[in-house]
Amino acid sequence: AEGDADEPKKGHGGCGHIQPAIRKEGLKLFVQYKRPKDENEDVKSMQPDKWLITPSGVYMMFKKMSDSDLHLIGLLDEYACPEWMIRT
């Protein structure tokens, strides 16, 4: 048991980027990020607490995804681009 305490704690994987919290209010979806504790107070007042996720914004994000990003999430650009999955 003593040897296990000296080992570094293993993470769950991933890139380490801060993940947003998605909140639903009625039929609208909002994105909210947790702020780091060491963040400056002046910067906090300039940034909104939450952002509305719009269908057109999601479509544009999907459309801008590179071929290497598609490969990372397990899609082939020839057969299944994410923007094709949204009806316009």
Side-chain angles (χ1 to χ4, degrees):
E2 292 176 21
D4 293 338
D6 294 336
E7 290 183 26
K9 187 175 181 181
K10 293 182 181 181
H12 56 78
C15 64
H17 192 271
I18 299 171
Q19 297 298 313
I22 308 293
R23 301 285 183 238
K24 182 178 176 185
E25 294 179 11
L27 295 176
K28 297 180 181 180
L29 294 176
F30 291 91
V31 173
Q32 190 170 12
Y33 285 94
K34 291 184 180 179
R35 292 195 173 115
K37 293 183 181 183
D38 61 346
E39 190 173 325
N40 188 348
E41 287 293 328
D42 295 334
V43 176
K44 284 183 184 179
S45 62
M46 293 172 34
Q47 295 177 347
D49 288 336
K50 57 185 176 181
W51 296 275
L52 176 65
I53 302 174
T54 62
S56 60
V58 172
Y59 178 75
M60 290 307 296
M61 281 188 262
F62 283 172
K63 198 170 184 175
K64 291 180 181 181
M65 289 180 75
S66 67
D67 293 342
S68 61
D69 291 338
L70 293 177
H71 179 71
L72 287 173
I73 61 172
L75 298 175
L76 294 174
D77 62 332
E78 300 168 0
Y79 302 108
C81 288
E83 70 265 16
W84 297 347
M85 298 175 196
I86 297 178
R87 186 170 185 164
T88 57

